[in-house]
Amino acid sequence: MPETLTYSHAHADLTFTWDGGTQIKLCDGVSVPYSGFYPSSISAPKTAQQVFTQAALKEVCDAWWQGMEFPTGRDFAQDPWHTAEFGAGLQVRYRGGPVVEAAPADPAHRYQPLPDDSTLWQPIINLTADGRTPATVTTAWLHHRVRGWTTGVLELLGVHAPQPVPDPVQYGEGVHDAIVHWTIRNLPDQVKADSTMGAWHTWIASTIRELWITPSGPVLWRNAGIAEQRLSQQHPWTYQDTLADGTRLNFVWFGGRCVYVTSPDAPARRGARDNTIFLFHPHEQATGPVLPWIEEQVRQWIATCNATKTRVDTPGAALQYGPWRIELSGPGLSHDARFATEQEAYAAARQARDQAANTDGCVTFRSIFSTNDSAARVTTISVQRRSPEHEDLWCAHSHPWNIYNPVPNALTPYTRTQPDS
């Protein structure tokens, strides 16, 4: 029976325990805001289970906390990696060496592996193009690189629009919708005869087979796209820093609507999730790649804290308690979304008005509280501002818009002579 190993990460305020099984268990410290903030366990690397030592456990846990790939040490020449893409129309493998290879699947036996010596196997990714060597290849990198490669292929085919600045965190978003729209537009007869995805899989499998037997093969697809970096509770992004007074800070993002900040030097009150929100909606607010943008928000906030010698409100708190909001209401419906400035509030309100008018009351909007940023049966939209005298009182800032009575001055700020309550 392997010895139970424990590793305490002081900055993260987490304790990791491995008892020889397939999971590494996590135990939260007092600065973690609520139960379930982090996963209860993470998967132990397959090869590490055979050689885990205290140092190996620390290496794996540090890698997870920093959002890095697990150092598995897998020998791909002896234990090749395989996957299938494009509805199993393309087989992909890595057997060690300088390239990742792929081959079209046999139409009659799509899930049956092709022989290793088949001439259809062709290189699709050069490790050197991504700054990799066989010694630094991991299964996580292979998975995300191949998924990014398929997105790059869709861009080359004109199915999916490329990002102006490729961002690993957002790369590949919207691919499924793009495939559906492209297929309906370009393969209408096949869609009618089969189904949208059936037509797509038939077309892409045929396209792959035809390309592979050309003299140049998939050379034009070589090294397409970039490696994806999907974030989740199992694979978070974290960033550590320290204030001038020595207070240690952790910034954590699981890929959702909130970036959180915790500190092992400032224990949180259990359940006080709102008090740990650093930033809302990084995807929507970021100008350029998301992670560098978040880090810049962190650095600016820390610089302000150090300059004022106090812990100032986070960007999330400034929005959460911001002075502006739009309210969407209708039969049995009441939703609101907060904004930091008047300009943002009115722009969002007018966009919601146009959506409601053209979609029979169906509106998508940016909320900081709801997990579902959509509303149906919206009949009224108003812009409000928080009363400076009463924090819980919201005052109308303009005449509301109503779907049944869309007056010309709706969502136009009141003049100074008009009351706003």
Side-chain angles (χ1 to χ4, degrees):
M1 183 70 181
E3 176 187 3
T4 296
L5 300 177
T6 299
Y7 167 57
S8 295
H9 194 304
H11 204 299
D13 200 13
L14 289 171
T15 299
F16 300 85
T17 303
W18 181 74
D19 60 6
T22 61
Q23 300 288 310
I24 299 172
K25 297 180 180 179
L26 278 67
C27 181
D28 301 338
V30 294
S31 68
V32 178
Y34 65 94
S35 177
F37 185 81
Y38 293 110
S40 59
S41 63
I42 56 176
S43 298
K46 177 181 176 182
T47 55
Q49 295 173 28
Q50 305 163 5
V51 295
F52 253 178
T53 61
Q54 186 67 41
L57 177 67
K58 179 181 184 302
E59 184 180 12
V60 166
C61 296
D62 284 347
W64 174 82
W65 170 251
Q66 296 171 22
M68 299 168 60
E69 300 160 19
F70 286 159
T72 59
R74 176 171 171 176
D75 184 347
F76 291 99
Q78 298 296 321
D79 184 13
W81 178 82
H82 295 270
T83 191
E85 297 294 336
F86 296 125
L90 185 74
Q91 296 184 18
V92 183
R93 72 182 184 186
Y94 179 64
R95 301 188 298 167
V99 296
V100 178
E101 300 170 298
D106 184 338
H109 305 284
R110 178 169 291 192
Y111 295 98
Q112 181 176 329
L114 291 174
D116 287 348
D117 59 354
S118 171
T119 58
L120 289 175
W121 289 108
Q122 296 289 325
I124 59 169
I125 298 169
N126 295 75
L127 266 59
T128 54
D130 279 67
R132 294 275 172 163
T133 66
T136 60
V137 170
T138 66
T139 54
W141 178 80
L142 286 167
H143 173 76
H144 294 301
R145 183 63 187 93
V146 171
R147 290 299 302 159
W149 177 83
T150 64
T151 297
V153 168
L154 296 180
E155 292 173 348
L156 294 173
L157 291 171
V159 176
H160 186 63
Q163 294 180 345
V165 179
D167 179 8
V169 172
Q170 297 176 292
Y171 199 62
E173 289 186 355
V175 160
H176 182 269
D177 289 343
I179 288 174
V180 170
H181 296 155
W182 183 93
T183 305
I184 293 172
R185 184 171 63 251
N186 291 276
L187 307 172
D189 293 337
Q190 293 93 315
V191 169
K192 292 178 182 178
D194 189 356
S195 66
T196 302
M197 293 314 296
W200 162 255
H201 287 144
T202 299
W203 180 85
I204 190 65
S206 174
T207 300
I208 290 169
R209 289 194 299 271
E210 292 174 2
L211 177 65
W212 245 254
I213 62 176
T214 61
S216 60
V219 170
L220 293 178
W221 290 4
R222 185 81 62 85
N223 303 319
I226 62 173
E228 293 182 348
Q229 187 176 355
R230 287 288 173 258
L231 301 178
S232 67
Q233 194 182 43
Q234 285 285 337
H235 300 282
W237 167 87
T238 64
Y239 180 82
Q240 299 79 51
D241 214 319
T242 305
L243 293 176
D245 63 6
T247 301
R248 295 169 293 175
L249 299 171
N250 298 314
F251 299 86
V252 184
W253 187 37
F254 301 112
R257 72 177 60 236
C258 301
V259 178
Y260 298 95
V261 56
T262 66
S263 171
D265 303 314
R269 187 178 78 250
R270 284 289 176 174
R273 178 176 182 167
D274 290 348
N275 296 335
T276 63
I277 294 174
F278 174 74
L279 185 70
F280 285 104
H281 300 286
H283 268 103
E284 298 178 24
Q285 296 194 64
T287 52
V290 179
L291 298 186
W293 181 84
I294 295 176
E295 290 183 11
E296 180 58 27
Q297 307 309 302
V298 169
R299 286 191 288 267
Q300 291 179 8
W301 180 74
I302 288 177
T304 302
C305 291
N306 289 336
T308 58
K309 297 182 180 180
T310 184
R311 186 165 171 173
V312 300
D313 282 346
T314 65
L319 180 58
Q320 185 173 352
Y321 302 105
W324 296 92
R325 77 176 186 182
I326 64 171
E327 186 175 62
L328 301 91
S329 56
L333 172 72
S334 180
H335 280 304
D336 70 79
R338 306 293 175 88
F339 298 89
T341 68
E342 177 182 349
Q343 292 75 15
E344 290 176 323
Y346 274 97
R350 290 162 184 161
Q351 182 179 29
R353 171 201 62 193
D354 296 341
Q355 286 185 334
N358 295 319
T359 59
D360 295 326
C362 295
V363 175
T364 58
F365 60 99
R366 191 184 76 181
S367 168
I368 64 174
F369 300 116
S370 173
T371 57
N372 181 19
D373 289 351
S374 62
R377 302 184 303 279
V378 174
T379 60
T380 304
I381 300 170
S382 62
V383 176
Q384 304 169 349
R385 69 177 180 186
R386 191 189 298 273
S387 169
E389 291 83 18
H390 304 284
E391 183 177 335
D392 296 328
L393 178 63
W394 291 87
C395 305
H397 192 258
S398 64
H399 193 287
W401 174 85
N402 185 278
I403 196 169
Y404 301 116
N405 184 29
V407 296
N409 65 340
L411 301 183
T412 299
Y414 287 134
T415 63
R416 292 183 179 181
T417 59
Q418 290 177 301
D420 58 1
S421 61

